[in-house]
Every structure is written in structure tokens, then in C-alpha cells.
């Protein structure tokens, strides 16, 4: 009986001690998160020469999840007028290479992002034909870095309810040069999130050394494709029923020999979800990636995909 009592008392003390340590650590993490985000806001505002102001609500931390959640973030003009808003911003970072200050994995997730100012709404519509008035956007952007293999996997997920979901992930190698530049200048970025001219030149030089190993793209339509086809049909002076077969003929002309046309035409007729995977026998340089993007911008699909293995699945 006595031994059971001792065990119970010791257990209670251990549990209480763990709770106390966790509570203290959580409190310290909370203070660090609040101070860290406030410093980050100051840096962002200084980087934009104080042409923007950032306001926010609470900063809450998850000690065991390794993240901080910031509520009611609003990016404003210097006069205080709201331009962009989001209901929450969650920042997560985990792991460090020994001696490094940069996390080996980091993620930023936002909910209910909205463009609320007339000027950027008009700019997006004029330059990109993108109408975001009253449109909520949810998204996640992040990366994972493997120092031993010098590999990085950046990813981006964006959801626009009623329009589309986009999920992009890539696998790149030869990243260490860029990583080292950021690491070397980590402590220098005290006031502004910018590099000086020499540092920026070194950063760009190392960017050119990065190699693309593979990429995956998934698009889920929620009504955007039908609207885009309707707009294009109106512009071309055709009906949708006339335009879709015409577009199928263009796809055949561009990609008929590659075997990719059937899946693209399936998506065109029944636009649901389409997945595209890119890979190459040898890692692709950033210069080759830029050249491919130029070909794509000119609708030269065959030239854009030369030397790259592509698989497409529509369902």
C-alpha cells in the first residue's frame, strides 16, 4: 500500500512537472512567435519602403505542431485602406541541418485570401484577365530540403472555390549554392528582406545552376474551364459547339504524334480533373526551362516538350 502511494505521488509529480515544463515552453514559444512575426512585419514594410502597412489580430502557437497561426491579416495602403486580407496565416517550420539557421522544411498556409481594393482588382483583370472580385482564395506554399542529397521539393496548392484547384510540386537538385547564399546572409537581413547587388548577383548565378528533375501538376476544374471556353467562343464569333471540335483539331495538329492528344481532348470535352507529370532522363537546366516556357507562350507545344517525358491523365 505504501509503495503504491509512493508510486502515485511520484507519478503525479512527474506529470505535473511535464505539464509545467510544457506550459512554460508554450508560453516562451508564444512570446517568441509574437516577437518574430512583429519583426517580420517590420521587415516586409521596410522592404516596400513603407508603402504598405500590415495589421493582424492574434498570434497563437502550437508547441508540438511547430507552427504559429496569425489571424485577420490585412495588407493596407499607407493611409490605412485595406488592399488584401486573409482570415488566417499559418507558418510551420521543422528541422535544421547542423549549424544552419534555415529550416529543412517550411510551409505557409493561408485561408480566405481576398483582394478588396479596387486598384489591384482592375490591374489583375486588365493584365491577366483574372477577375477576383468577391473571390476567396485558399493556399499553401512550402518546401522540403534534403541536404545530404542536395534535393529540394517546393510545392504550391491553391484553391478558388467555384473556379478551380491547382496543385503543383517539383523536384530540383543542385540547390546548395542558393541555400548557402541565403544562409550566409541570414543575419544581414536585419531591416529589409533584400540582398545587396553582389549578393543578388551571386544568388541569381546559383539559381541558374539549379536543375529540374521532375514536376507534377494537377488541375481540378470547378467551372472555370466552361467559362473560359464561352469567352473564347464569343471572341472568335463561334458557338461553343463549333469551338470545341476546332480546338480538338488544334490539339491533334500540335500533339498528335506524341500520344498526349487523347487525354487533352477528353478533358476539353468533359473538363473535370487533369494531371500532368514531367520528367527527363537528365536533369533540365533553368535555361532549358525558360526556353520551354517561351515556346509555350507562343503555343508551340511540340518544341516546348522536346527532350521531356510527359504523361497526362484526364478523369
Amino acid at each position: 500500500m505504501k509503495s503504491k502511494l509512493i508510486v502515485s505521488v511520484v507519478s503525479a509529480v512527474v506529470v505535473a512537472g511535464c505539464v509545467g515544463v510544457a506550459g512554460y515552453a508554450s508560453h516562451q514559444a508564444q512570446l517568441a512567435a509574437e516577437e518574430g512575426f512583429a519583426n517580420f512585419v517590420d521587415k516586409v514594410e521596410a522592404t516596400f519602403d513603407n508603402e504598405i502597412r500590415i495589421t493582424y489580430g492574434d498570434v497563437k502557437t502550437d508547441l508540438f505542431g511547430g507552427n504559429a497561426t496569425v489571424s485577420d491579416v490585412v495588407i493596407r495602403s499607407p493611409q490605412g485602406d485595406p488592399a488584401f486580407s486573409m482570415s488566417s496565416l499559418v507558418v510551420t517550420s521543422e528541422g535544421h541541418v547542423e549549424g544552419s539557421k534555415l529550416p529543412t522544411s517550411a510551409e505557409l498556409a493561408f485561408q480566405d485570401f481576398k483582394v478588396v481594393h479596387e486598384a489591384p482588382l482592375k490591374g489583375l483583370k486588365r493584365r491577366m484577365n483574372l477577375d477576383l472580385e468577391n473571390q476567396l482564395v485558399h493556399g499553401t506554399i512550402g518546401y522540403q530540403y534534403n541536404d545530404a542529397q542536395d534535393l529540394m521539393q517546393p510545392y504550391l496548392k491553391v484553391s478558388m472555390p467555384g473556379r478551380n484547384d491547382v496543385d503543383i510540386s517539383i523536384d530540383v537538385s543542385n540547390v546548395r549554392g542558393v541555400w548557402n547564399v541565403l544562409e550566409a546572409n541570414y543575419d544581414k537581413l536585419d531591416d529589409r528582406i533584400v540582398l545587396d547587388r553582389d549578393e543578388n548577383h551571386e544568388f541569381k548565378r546559383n539559381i541558374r545552376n539549379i536543375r529540374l528533375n521532375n514536376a507534377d501538376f494537377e488541375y481540378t476544374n470547378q467551372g472555370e474551364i466552361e467559362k473560359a471556353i464561352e469567352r473564347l467562343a464569343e471572341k472568335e464569333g463561334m458557338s461553343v459547339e463549333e469551338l470545341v471540335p476546332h480546338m480538338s483539331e488544334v490539339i491533334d495538329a500540335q500533339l498528335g504524334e506524341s500520344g498526349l492528344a487523347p487525354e487533352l481532348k477528353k478533358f476539353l470535352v468533359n473538363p473535370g480533373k487533369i494531371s500532368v507529370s514531367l520528367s527527363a532522363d537528365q536533369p533540365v537546366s533553368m535555361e532549358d526551362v525558360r526556353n520551354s516556357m517561351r515556346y509555350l507562350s507562343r503555343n508551340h507545344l511540340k518544341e516546348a516538350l522536346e527532350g521531356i517525358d510527359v504523361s497526362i491523365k484526364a478523369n
Side-chain angles (χ1 to χ4, degrees):
M1 183 72 178
K2 189 174 181 179
S3 62
K4 289 184 179 179
L5 178 61
I6 292 173
V7 170
S8 298
V9 171
V10 170
S11 299
V13 170
V14 170
V15 171
C18 289
V19 171
V21 169
Y24 175 77
S26 179
H27 177 66
Q28 294 301 108
Q30 177 74 29
L31 293 177
E34 291 174 357
E35 181 181 358
F37 193 75
N39 290 337
F40 173 74
V41 167
D42 290 342
K43 289 183 180 182
V44 172
E45 291 179 346
T47 299
F48 286 91
D49 295 322
N50 293 309
E51 289 297 316
I52 63 169
R53 286 178 51 206
I54 300 175
T55 60
Y56 55 94
D58 296 330
V59 179
K60 296 182 179 179
T61 59
D62 178 357
L63 176 63
F64 299 104
N67 62 49
T69 302
V70 186
S71 64
D72 301 324
V73 180
V74 182
I75 301 174
R76 303 175 181 271
S77 70
Q79 293 75 33
D81 300 323
F84 308 93
S85 66
M86 62 192 87
S87 63
S88 69
L89 182 67
V90 182
V91 182
T92 306
S93 63
E94 294 181 309
H96 288 81
V97 179
E98 186 175 353
S100 172
K101 295 180 180 179
L102 298 174
T104 50
S105 69
E107 181 178 279
L108 188 151
F110 56 89
Q111 286 288 319
D112 301 328
F113 176 87
K114 190 175 180 180
V115 185
V116 294
H117 197 280
E118 186 177 356
L121 281 171
K122 287 183 176 179
L124 287 168
K125 195 167 184 177
R126 184 178 66 255
R127 297 174 186 175
M128 303 176 63
N129 197 27
L130 187 59
D131 185 2
L132 290 184
E133 188 171 4
N134 299 318
Q135 175 70 57
L136 293 178
V137 183
H138 317 302
T140 302
I141 183 170
Y143 70 85
Q144 294 181 331
Y145 178 55
N146 185 320
D147 178 67
Q149 299 181 14
D150 193 17
L151 293 174
M152 180 175 281
Q153 286 103 22
Y155 56 89
L156 170 68
K157 300 179 181 181
V158 176
S159 175
M160 291 194 286
R163 301 180 79 159
N164 58 59
D165 294 336
V166 176
D167 189 340
I168 302 171
S169 63
I170 63 176
D171 188 307
V172 293
S173 57
N174 206 24
V175 185
R176 187 167 288 113
V178 171
W179 186 270
N180 289 342
V181 171
L182 295 176
E183 180 73 37
N185 291 281
Y186 185 89
D187 291 325
K188 295 180 183 178
L189 306 179
D190 290 331
D191 302 318
R192 299 161 62 91
I193 310 175
V194 292
L195 300 170
D196 65 28
R197 194 174 83 173
D198 291 340
E199 293 160 352
N200 191 46
H201 177 75
E202 180 71 6
F203 182 80
K204 290 182 177 179
R205 186 181 68 82
N206 282 285
I207 284 283
R208 290 193 290 270
N209 291 333
I210 290 178
R211 296 293 183 267
L212 174 66
N213 299 330
N214 55 65
D216 294 293
F217 173 88
E218 185 176 275
Y219 178 94
T220 303
N221 177 50
Q222 294 185 27
E224 182 71 8
I225 296 299
E226 292 88 344
K227 293 176 183 176
I229 292 175
E230 288 174 2
R231 289 194 298 267
L232 183 59
E234 183 178 356
K235 181 181 177 181
E236 297 295 327
M238 306 169 68
S239 68
V240 171
E241 291 73 19
E242 293 171 323
L243 178 64
V244 170
H246 173 70
M247 293 176 69
S248 293
E249 292 174 2
V250 173
I251 291 173
D252 277 329
Q254 290 278 349
L255 296 172
E257 297 178 1
S258 67
L260 302 176
E263 293 295 319
L264 283 175
K265 292 192 293 184
K266 185 194 299 185
F267 179 76
L268 182 63
V269 173
N270 184 22
K273 179 187 292 186
I274 189 166
S275 302
V276 180
S277 294
L278 308 176
S279 61
D281 294 334
Q282 297 293 328
V284 179
S285 70
M286 290 297 102
E287 182 62 29
D288 288 338
V289 171
R290 281 194 292 270
N291 288 336
S292 293
M293 296 304 294
R294 291 191 191 103
Y295 282 125
L296 280 176
S297 68
R298 300 167 188 163
N299 294 322
H300 296 168
L301 300 181
K302 185 176 180 181
E303 292 85 350
L305 300 176
E306 188 173 350
I308 300 175
D309 293 326
V310 183
S311 65
I312 298 177
K313 179 66 178 177
N315 49 24

